Amino acid sequence: MNRYAIKKLPLNISSINKEVENPMSIRSVLGEFEVDAETLEEARTIASTMVNASEPALICQWSEPRSRFLYSRDSEFVHPTTLFRYDGEEFVESCERCRRDLPKSGKFLNKSDARSDYRKHKDLADKKIGEALDHLDALENLGVSLGHQMLGDTYGIYEDYMYLQVKEGAYTFTHRLDTR
């Protein structure tokens, strides 16, 4: 049988004024509690009836060597959230440890938000690509070509860079672009 703590967020890992004596102790005033279970999934099943689904609650396992409950990036939520990301053709579902949408990652709580965010950003990207193609046409009209050079053999690539090239008279001038 294993010991698990059901912890509320935010965790009391640090304090501005003084160091927390036992950062992973149970805060019963917040409704935190311990569960004895064979597996994490069994602990989740037991805790799911005792924790509100709208409040994030972590499941932290007890560590005998450290004599405390452990929090890690892999800590599970009692009620995991399914998030959706749209790639233009299909939805990718992931089970995440959050209670809200994540617009920076493109993951949302529902499919319609994921689709509309993708379409909004696709329109902006299409506009930028169109402008870039116009600039490439303007370069071509100036007599400047954009190219790519890759030198190597079966042991690897020695040089890999882009360049601009202009032919003037009997000469070809090349400017290597810094590929940061």
Side-chain angles (χ1 to χ4, degrees):
M1 194 64 70
N2 297 313
R3 262 173 85 190
Y4 295 92
I6 308 306
K7 309 261 316 141
K8 301 277 178 122
L9 294 180
L11 297 172
N12 57 340
I13 290 176
S14 66
S15 173
I16 293 173
N17 301 323
K18 63 177 183 166
E19 192 174 316
V20 175
E21 191 174 307
N22 186 0
M24 292 303 285
S25 61
I26 299 295
R27 301 173 294 179
S28 53
V29 248
L30 298 179
E32 296 181 347
F33 56 93
E34 290 184 32
V35 172
D36 289 327
E38 290 292 327
T39 64
L40 185 127
E41 284 306 315
E42 185 181 338
R44 182 192 321 274
T45 304
I46 295 167
S48 65
T49 62
M50 305 163 83
V51 174
N52 187 346
S54 65
E55 295 176 1
L58 282 172
I59 304 171
C60 301
Q61 189 167 5
W62 178 259
S63 169
E64 275 306 324
R66 294 184 181 166
S67 296
R68 67 182 180 116
F69 289 104
L70 297 180
Y71 165 75
S72 72
R73 293 186 145 266
D74 299 327
S75 291
E76 296 282 336
F77 275 91
V78 173
H79 298 283
T81 302
T82 301
L83 296 178
F84 301 95
R85 180 180 173 90
Y86 186 63
D87 65 7
E89 295 177 9
E90 63 185 11
F91 290 96
V92 177
E93 293 182 18
S94 61
C95 197
E96 301 280 335
R97 299 178 325 231
C98 76
R99 304 307 302 174
R100 64 190 183 330
D101 55 353
L102 300 170
K104 287 185 180 178
S105 68
K107 297 177 182 177
F108 294 87
L109 288 171
N110 58 55
K111 290 181 177 182
S112 63
D113 287 349
R115 182 182 289 120
S116 65
D117 185 66
Y118 173 83
R119 287 182 179 156
K120 177 180 78 172
H121 287 89
K122 173 128 176 56
D123 291 344
L124 292 171
D126 287 346
K127 181 181 175 192
K128 288 180 181 181
I129 288 171
E131 289 176 14
L133 290 172
D134 290 343
H135 287 294
L136 285 174
D137 287 343
L139 277 175
E140 203 171 283
N141 291 337
L142 284 172
V144 177
S145 61
L146 180 66
H148 183 259
Q149 178 71 39
M150 187 181 296
L151 298 173
D153 58 18
T154 57
Y155 296 104
I157 298 169
Y158 303 115
E159 285 191 280
D160 183 11
Y161 60 90
M162 292 187 70
Y163 62 87
L164 291 175
Q165 193 172 64
V166 177
K167 291 185 180 188
E168 282 297 325
Y171 305 100
T172 301
F173 299 94
T174 303
H175 175 79
R176 185 175 173 158
L177 298 174
D178 184 20
T179 56
R180 292 177 226 170

